[in-house]
Amino acid sequence: MDGGRRGRGRRQAIEKELKKLREEREELDGRIRLLESQLEVRPEGVDGAAAGEGVVYGSCDGSVACRRRRGNGFAPDGGLPADMIYRYSRHLLLPDFGVEGQRKLSQSSILVVGAGGLGSPVALYLAACGVGCLGIVDGDDVELNNLHRQIIHKEAYVGQPKVKSAADACREINSSIKVVDHHHTLKPRNALEIVRKYDIVVDATDNLPTRYMISDCCVLLNKPLVSGAALGLEGQLTVYHHNGSPCYRCLFPSPPPVAACQRCSDSGVLGVVPGVIGCLQALEAIKVATAVGEPLCGRMLLFDALSARIRIVKLRGSLPDCTICGENSVFTEQDFQKFDYENFTQSPMSDKTAPSVNLLPENARITSRDYKRLVDNGEPHLLLDVRPMHHFQIASISPSMNIPLSMLEEKLPTLKTSLKETGAASASGKEPALVVLCRRGNDSQRAVQLLRENGFASAKDIIGGLQAWGQDVDPDFPVY
Amino acid sequence: MHLTLEFGGGLELLLKSSTKVHKVEVPPKDGEGKVTMKGLLSWVKANLIKERPEMFVKGDSVRPGVLVLINDCDWELCGGLDAELEEKDVVVFISTLHGG
């Protein structure tokens, strides 16, 4: 009995000593590798930190290159150098994640498409958690009205490219990873070349044609796609084309009608909502990269911020007859490069440019400068603002009357009365002009059409709406 | 038949009352005692939709870009238009979002 216990105690002591020695060896190995890598990098003029490589635009030549880089200090046998053990210790302490998870993460390369509301937390978390190579694609510049939700950007970067701002922020957080900024709008002609370099793609974009394009591209190159979207007070998230999950086209073979495509720049978005979805996208990307846990494949997460509800639903699998990912798909890289996604969806590859309509003859429209002259000349008129009420409350031209387009038909009698009163109040006795205004000059055309059909034959709208008014007449008028 | 219908992603804006959750009583088609998804769609169009029905339905199905979920499951896995509903089922209509 006694001898057995003594034997066990001795064994434990030896094991403990072995463990300690192994750890010391790993630490020494790590330090040696780090010093070696600095020796190797220095002669090329890059100052030791691997992150410096990312400063040179487009220098990431792919995940293979990312695996070869030494800055993260991982050896082929998976040992972790001491500084990395300390940095990622809280990851390493997770039994489900551990050294293996961290090692896989450090060897993965992830492309984030879009450095906006979704892309901000995605890029920040992926940089912080030690992804080997982080690519960011975006062709836009930082605007002041981005900052309430695109938390990666700082005021000082307004007017500068989003990718530069985002990459700088990521490098500040973690100088040991490689960050590559692709200062482009992703298009069919450049997408294959960029996406090919990465293992995983995160769709953090803001428009429909780009979503179809990224999905098709990921199918062609066989990359998992972590897709998130947010608008207003709702968000959606899923992982496409991974572990049997469908591609975007399996789910949405035909694009929705243009009128159903709301944009953040039209409908608004609460800043935290894309933040929540972006954080979850980072999480899914990490799970896919490390093969830890169950990624959101064949399922979709629906987030409703207003009612604080998250619903996870089961989706169809990939469709055998899908035109893109199906067994008999004939869609090639050449087809992809020629495919006109804007024409397919009838929407622009941007959140900003609302497609403008042209419904009225020229003589039914005036410019904002014409309207200014009309006001200055004291001509009797009624200015009808057809924006939704909450838009009218943001800013309006005084005096003007607000009847939202959706209510115009039922409020025609009210309008008639107001027009009569305006006429009676004017000295000239001339019939007052009816001028219609909205934010950009689309709804005002629809309103004038409706008005002309209902007896207001002289109604005209202001071309370009309040946006043109702010640009051409009153630079102090607040833009939104 | 008692059903809970939920509308999201902006579809709620098309309804007479723009709340997202609607607890409704949908009469089965005469004699059959069943409510199919096809029947439910035409019932929704006739009884709940206030404006722009083309933003909700196309032909006898939903318009492209709308996901339909029966008890949190893609309706494509449950039979689509022919899926038969049961008492207290929850049917979700959600428009996909593209913003970010």
Side-chain angles (χ1 to χ4, degrees):
Chain A
M1 272 293 276
D2 215 30
R5 197 181 297 147
R6 223 179 294 128
R8 230 176 300 142
R10 171 107 184 106
R11 196 182 161 81
Q12 278 174 355
I14 291 175
E15 278 173 357
K16 204 173 154 191
E17 180 70 8
L18 265 175
K19 190 165 175 264
K20 198 179 122 212
L21 286 171
R22 285 205 183 98
E23 278 171 7
E24 282 175 14
R25 186 180 66 188
E26 265 186 14
E27 190 195 328
L28 283 171
D29 279 345
R31 277 161 59 188
I32 289 167
R33 280 193 297 272
L34 200 65
L35 290 170
E36 278 175 352
S37 73
Q38 285 171 5
L39 267 184
E40 264 177 50
V41 175
R42 278 246 166 72
E44 292 158 31
V46 182
D47 193 23
E53 293 167 35
V55 180
V56 186
Y57 153 72
S59 66
C60 179
D61 61 344
S63 51
V64 180
C66 295
R67 283 195 187 103
R68 249 186 268 125
R69 54 175 292 285
R70 309 292 177 92
N72 229 3
F74 284 90
D77 64 0
L80 295 180
D83 54 339
M84 293 297 146
I85 289 178
Y86 187 62
R87 177 168 201 134
Y88 303 114
S89 56
R90 301 314 189 254
H91 274 178
L92 307 180
L93 288 168
L94 289 167
D96 293 330
F97 197 83
V99 173
E100 185 61 13
Q102 193 63 42
R103 190 180 60 78
K104 282 182 180 157
L105 207 51
S106 78
Q107 290 174 343
S108 68
S109 56
I110 303 182
L111 179 68
V112 181
V113 189
L118 296 165
S120 289
V122 176
L124 288 172
Y125 266 112
L126 291 182
C129 77
V131 152
C133 179
L134 175 64
I136 307 169
V137 205
D138 202 310
D140 287 346
D141 293 338
V142 180
E143 293 176 34
L144 189 64
N145 67 12
N146 298 151
L147 301 189
H148 84 287
R149 68 185 188 284
Q150 303 184 12
I151 54 165
I152 204 167
H153 308 302
K154 302 183 184 75
E155 278 184 8
Y157 282 88
V158 169
Q160 294 199 51
K162 282 187 181 176
V163 276
K164 182 181 175 351
S165 166
D168 284 356
C170 290
R171 289 181 190 121
E172 275 177 41
I173 287 174
N174 194 343
S175 63
S176 75
I177 65 158
K178 182 166 177 171
V179 181
V180 185
D181 40 25
H182 301 275
H183 186 201
H184 300 287
T185 304
L186 205 65
K187 297 269 178 177
R189 63 166 189 279
N190 61 19
L192 288 164
E193 187 194 336
I194 294 174
V195 170
R196 209 187 298 275
K197 298 171 181 172
Y198 296 87
D199 303 326
I200 298 165
V201 179
V202 178
D203 184 344
T205 61
D206 57 13
N207 65 82
L208 181 66
T210 306
R211 289 183 181 275
Y212 273 106
M213 179 190 71
I214 294 173
S215 173
D216 290 355
C217 186
C218 285
V219 171
L220 282 172
L221 301 174
N222 201 23
K223 313 277 183 189
L225 172 61
V226 181
S227 180
L231 187 93
L233 292 144
E234 287 180 74
Q236 298 169 355
L237 170 80
T238 189
V239 178
Y240 289 116
H241 194 61
H242 186 55
N243 286 352
S245 59
C247 77
Y248 195 68
R249 295 246 199 181
C250 296
L251 224 47
F252 308 110
S254 328
V258 181
C261 298
Q262 303 180 69
R263 281 171 293 271
C264 291
S265 58
D266 288 338
S267 307
V269 59
L270 193 76
V272 187
V273 175
V276 169
I277 298 297
C279 285
L280 291 168
Q281 280 183 284
L283 176 61
E284 291 305 311
I286 291 168
K287 281 159 64 183
V288 172
T290 56
V292 166
E294 289 171 57
L296 205 59
C297 297
R299 294 180 295 157
M300 184 179 274
L301 182 147
L302 309 169
F303 173 56
D304 182 354
L306 216 50
S307 60
R309 268 191 302 183
I310 290 178
R311 187 190 276 278
I312 292 168
V313 300
K314 189 173 188 307
L315 295 177
R316 68 200 76 173
S318 62
L319 296 187
D321 59 349
C322 172
T323 52
I324 304 297
C325 76
E327 288 156 19
N328 302 317
S329 166
V330 289
F331 192 71
T332 64
E333 293 189 8
Q334 287 72 37
D335 297 330
F336 172 79
Q337 283 173 316
K338 278 184 265 165
F339 197 90
D340 187 342
Y341 287 90
E342 294 190 326
N343 185 47
F344 174 62
T345 58
Q346 293 293 301
S347 344
M349 278 185 153
S350 155
D351 171 67
K352 271 171 272 171
T353 40
S356 51
V357 298
N358 201 1
L359 304 170
L360 298 178
E362 240 174 77
N363 63 12
R365 313 200 70 189
I366 61 173
T367 66
S368 55
R369 289 200 180 91
D370 293 337
Y371 177 69
K372 176 77 163 71
R373 264 192 297 278
L374 186 149
V375 174
D376 289 346
N377 295 340
E379 291 181 39
H381 73 280
L382 178 70
L383 182 61
L384 173 67
D385 189 326
V386 293
R387 291 175 298 155
M389 203 200 301
H390 66 284
H391 281 237
F392 190 73
Q393 284 165 350
I394 298 172
S396 63
I397 295 179
S398 178
S400 59
M401 180 184 186
N402 179 221
I403 303 177
L405 178 61
S406 61
M407 294 159 73
L408 187 55
E409 204 160 0
E410 53 184 287
K411 290 271 175 90
L412 286 176
T414 321
L415 181 63
K416 205 163 204 167
T417 314
S418 301
L419 205 56
K420 231 179 241 165
E421 282 166 6
T422 312
S426 78
S428 63
K430 229 171 101 182
E431 197 194 327
L434 178 57
V435 182
V436 184
L437 175 79
C438 68
R439 186 180 176 199
R440 293 195 177 109
N442 288 338
D443 276 355
S444 58
Q445 294 185 59
R446 295 185 182 102
V448 166
Q449 258 186 343
L450 189 134
L451 289 167
R452 291 195 162 208
E453 284 162 14
N454 285 279
F456 298 84
S458 65
K460 292 184 180 186
D461 88 314
I462 297 179
I463 298 166
L466 284 166
Q467 215 164 50
W469 177 261
Q471 236 162 49
D472 301 335
V473 178
D474 181 4
D476 291 334
F477 190 83
V479 286
Y480 66 95
Chain B
M1 183 178 284
H2 283 90
L3 297 172
T4 302
L5 308 182
E6 287 195 37
F7 298 82
L11 290 178
E12 69 278 10
L13 302 173
L14 306 173
L15 306 178
K16 285 173 186 158
S17 82
S18 60
T19 46
K20 287 182 172 171
V21 184
H22 294 251
K23 295 205 180 289
V24 297
E25 177 71 35
V26 180
K29 217 171 170 183
D30 14 283
E32 290 176 33
K34 290 175 194 160
V35 176
T36 61
M37 276 307 300
K38 196 172 170 180
L40 177 65
L41 282 180
S42 57
W43 185 88
V44 168
K45 192 181 166 189
N47 292 280
L48 296 183
I49 301 282
K50 178 186 70 179
E51 54 177 284
R52 296 179 293 159
E54 72 279 7
M55 288 292 102
F56 183 67
V57 287
K58 186 180 180 185
D60 56 7
S61 189
V62 290
R63 68 148 167 89
V66 173
L67 273 182
V68 183
L69 308 155
I70 305 170
N71 301 325
D72 287 345
C73 186
D74 191 339
W75 74 331
E76 290 291 324
L77 300 170
C78 316
L81 280 170
D82 299 325
E84 283 178 11
L85 296 169
E86 286 172 23
E87 190 71 19
K88 291 185 181 164
D89 273 353
V90 179
V91 183
V92 176
F93 300 96
I94 196 136
S95 178
T96 54
L97 307 176
H98 317 112

